[in-house]
């Protein structure tokens, strides 16, 4: 009996170890591919990083000295090895625009994007999932038509136009929300940036006036991102739920006399939750790296705006550093989604 139990534990440990090894190998290969792609993009793009440092009117000897200092005189494979070594030590180089280490700049701007994307995704989840469920339950009826219209509206309307109209109506005309920026100038010195997430920092320090002001700035841009997230999440929830409601276990549950609410919300939605987690994760990741237009319209000091400004000014260290952070976020979110999927789905466990 003891031998059987020991063998079972050993087999379980072996399976867990094999899964962990597979996950770590996948992450390592993905990260290596990401490093290689970003490195090659920096070499292929028609921008001379040396000129970005020394200027267009630099003398030839100054140009060559800067080129040597940047390591661009070395063979390509050696440049890549140096690049990988620096990245793994957290050295992304210095930004030409700010004269600060790129990692310092990213630590400063990323919390703003995190705050914006998180609230937008929460809006998409809280409104999109119930809307998608109702659309599936009342398929081809008026709740379904409303959900499909909202989804089409969220996908079709250009976000830059919607952002400008939102500022014109809710800020300029009605005065319901604050304008561009993350916080008003009068409140900038009220909050000490501990985490970088201004709402959290203001709440921790008891600066409720600054909290309300920051929230007023955040509502409109996060609502725009929430609309895009809502359109995607509600559409996919509807599709998953229609599939689940046609399964045999749903019919059997109804035959047994189980209440319709329990069938829909406890059984069908629970089975649809596994693919839905992937959809939510992808939506969140896309908002973290794809909110460039929103950040530009609302003068939001986030990562997307930082990467765009760096690209327009040939600041390749900043562009590559920001791209690597976005890629690492995608990898981390995908890994977290796999873990949550195993927790939600007993078959995966």
């Amino acid at each position: 009996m003891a031998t059987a139990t020991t063998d079972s534990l050993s087999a379980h440990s072996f399976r867990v170890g094999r899964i962990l090894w597979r996950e770590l190998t996948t992450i390592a290969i993905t990260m290596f591919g990401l490093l290689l792609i970003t490195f090659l993009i920096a070499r292929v793009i028609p921008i001379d990083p040396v000129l970005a440092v020394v200027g267009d009117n630099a003398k030839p000897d100054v140009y060559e000295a800067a080129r040597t200092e940047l390591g661009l005189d070395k063979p390509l494979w050696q440049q890549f090895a140096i690049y990988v070594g620096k990245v793994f030590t957290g050295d992304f180089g210095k930004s030409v625009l700010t004269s600060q280490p790129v990692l310092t700049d990213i630590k400063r701007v990323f919390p703003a994007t995190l705050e914006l994307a998180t609230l937008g995704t929460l809006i998409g989840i809280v409104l999109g999932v119930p809307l998608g469920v109702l659309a599936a339950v009342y398929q081809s009826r008026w709740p379904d038509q409303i959900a499909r219209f909202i989804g089409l509206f969220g996908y079709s309307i250009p976000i830059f136009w919607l952002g400008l109209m939102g500022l014109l109506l809710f800020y300029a005309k009605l005065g319901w929300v604050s304008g561009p920026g993350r916080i008003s100038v009068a409140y900038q010195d009220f909050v000490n940036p501990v985490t970088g997430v201004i709402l959290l920092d203001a709440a921790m320090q008891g600066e409720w006036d600054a909290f309300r002001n920051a929230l007023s700035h955040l509502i409109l841009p996060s609502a725009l991102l929430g609309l895009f997230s809502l359109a995607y999440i509600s559409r996919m929830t509807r599709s998953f739920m229609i599939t689940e409601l046609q399964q045999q276990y749903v019919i059997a549950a109804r035959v047994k006399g189980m209440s319709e609410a329990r069938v829909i919300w406890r059984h069908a939605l629970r089975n649809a939750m596994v693919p839905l987690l992937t959809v939510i994760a992808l939506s969140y990741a896309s908002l973290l790296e794809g909110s460039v237009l929103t950040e530009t319209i609302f003068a939001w000091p986030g990562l997307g705006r930082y990467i765009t400004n760096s690209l327009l000014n040939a600041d390749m260290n900043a562009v590559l550093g920001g791209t690597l952070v976005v890629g690492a976020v995608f990898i981390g979110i995908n890994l977290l989604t796999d873990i949550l999927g195993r927790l939600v789905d007993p078959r995966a466990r």
Side-chain angles (χ1 to χ4, degrees):
M1 186 71 175
T3 304
T5 303
T6 303
D7 291 342
S8 177
L9 289 174
S10 300
H12 178 70
S13 300
F14 177 75
R15 286 196 301 270
V16 172
R18 186 173 60 182
I19 292 172
L20 289 175
W21 173 254
R22 186 173 62 224
E23 294 289 346
L24 291 174
T25 303
T26 302
I27 292 173
I29 294 174
T30 306
M31 282 300 301
F32 179 81
L34 178 64
L35 289 169
L36 181 61
I37 290 172
T38 53
F39 174 79
L40 293 177
I41 288 175
R43 297 301 180 268
V44 171
I45 196 169
I47 295 177
D48 191 342
V50 180
L51 291 181
V53 175
V54 300
D56 295 334
N57 299 320
K59 296 180 180 180
D61 56 335
V62 176
Y63 178 90
E64 289 299 326
R67 187 168 182 270
T68 302
E69 185 178 352
L70 293 174
L72 298 176
D73 59 329
K74 295 180 172 61
L76 201 60
W77 67 268
Q78 195 171 353
Q79 293 181 39
F80 179 65
I82 295 172
Y83 173 67
V84 172
K86 287 184 175 181
V87 167
F88 277 104
T89 59
D91 182 8
F92 294 158
K94 281 192 174 183
S95 168
V96 176
L97 285 177
T98 64
S99 299
Q100 296 287 332
V102 171
L103 190 59
T104 302
D105 286 343
I106 291 175
K107 288 179 180 179
R108 173 175 52 84
V109 300
F110 186 69
T113 297
L114 182 67
E115 190 174 42
L116 186 63
T118 300
L119 187 55
T121 304
L122 287 176
I123 293 172
I125 294 171
V126 171
L127 299 180
V129 173
L131 187 63
V133 172
L134 291 176
V137 172
Y138 298 99
Q139 189 179 359
S140 300
R141 292 154 69 180
W142 67 265
D144 188 21
Q145 299 299 330
I146 292 175
R148 293 168 71 177
F149 172 77
I150 293 174
L152 182 63
F153 182 81
Y155 272 115
S156 303
I157 301 298
I159 197 166
F160 66 87
W161 181 85
L162 200 60
L164 292 174
M165 293 301 102
L167 281 173
L168 178 63
L169 177 61
F170 297 108
Y171 167 59
K173 294 292 185 182
L174 300 176
W176 290 357
V177 298
S178 298
R182 199 177 177 198
I183 193 170
S184 298
V185 177
Y187 293 97
Q188 283 184 352
D189 296 330
F190 279 48
V191 181
N192 183 31
V194 179
T195 65
V197 179
I198 198 165
L199 291 180
L200 183 59
D201 290 341
M204 290 169 57
Q205 296 167 34
E207 298 290 348
W208 298 110
D209 289 337
F211 179 90
R212 285 188 288 269
N213 182 266
L215 183 61
S216 180
H217 281 272
L218 180 63
I219 287 173
L220 189 55
S222 62
L224 290 180
L225 293 181
L227 176 62
F228 177 79
S229 180
L230 184 155
Y232 180 50
I233 291 174
S234 64
R235 177 170 170 265
M236 298 307 296
T237 303
R238 175 185 181 273
S239 177
F240 295 147
M241 285 295 294
I242 288 176
T243 301
E244 292 299 328
L245 290 173
Q246 295 172 350
Q247 299 300 316
Q248 293 294 328
Y249 73 88
V250 172
I251 299 174
R254 285 170 174 165
V255 169
K256 291 178 180 179
M258 191 176 295
S259 67
E260 190 67 12
R262 188 174 181 183
V263 170
I264 293 169
W265 297 101
R266 183 167 181 178
H267 293 279
L269 182 59
R270 186 174 181 179
N271 281 280
M273 191 57 67
V274 176
L276 189 57
L277 281 174
T278 303
V279 168
I280 293 172
L282 291 176
S283 176
Y284 185 45
S286 66
L287 293 188
L288 282 174
E289 58 86 22
S291 54
V292 177
L293 287 176
T294 305
E295 291 183 357
T296 301
I297 293 168
F298 291 92
W300 196 263
L303 182 61
R305 191 177 177 211
Y306 174 75
I307 294 175
T308 303
N309 289 339
S310 300
L311 183 60
L312 293 176
N313 289 276
D315 191 355
M316 293 310 299
N317 285 338
V319 172
L320 295 181
T323 304
L324 284 173
V325 169
V326 169
V329 166
F330 262 95
I331 293 171
I333 289 178
N334 282 327
L335 178 61
L336 181 61
T337 304
D338 289 340
I339 295 172
L340 291 176
R342 294 178 189 277
L343 294 175
V344 171
D345 188 359
R347 294 168 298 180
R349 294 200 300 271

